[in-house]
Amino acid sequence: MEEIKSHPTKKWEISLIKLEEGTEVHYKVTRRLPVMAVAETKMFSTLEAAKEQFEE
């Protein structure tokens, strides 16, 4: 599962990726600002917390 969304005015690119390792499932939310080559990545253990960060 991968979703990518762009902010209408700030030009942020946001992605939500599901990572599975054995029985563990983690969700990675990455926010990038390509113009400045800046990125912020956070890992979550629940989909609800990851979607909350993704929508923010």
Side-chain angles (χ1 to χ4, degrees):
M1 169 179 87
E2 182 174 343
E3 293 181 44
I4 298 177
K5 182 171 85 171
S6 296
H7 191 278
T9 59
K10 294 185 180 177
K11 306 298 184 209
W12 285 103
E13 292 178 358
I14 304 168
S15 63
L16 172 62
I17 300 173
K18 179 180 180 181
L19 304 170
E20 296 181 37
E21 185 175 323
T23 60
E24 295 181 18
V25 177
H26 297 282
Y27 299 92
K28 180 172 91 170
V29 177
T30 301
R31 184 172 71 165
R32 296 182 59 237
L33 187 57
V35 175
M36 297 182 64
V38 175
E40 174 186 58
T41 300
K42 292 186 180 181
M43 299 290 286
F44 298 93
S45 58
T46 65
L47 180 59
E48 293 79 24
K51 281 200 174 213
E52 182 179 316
Q53 178 69 29
F54 182 78
E55 294 300 323
E56 191 178 288

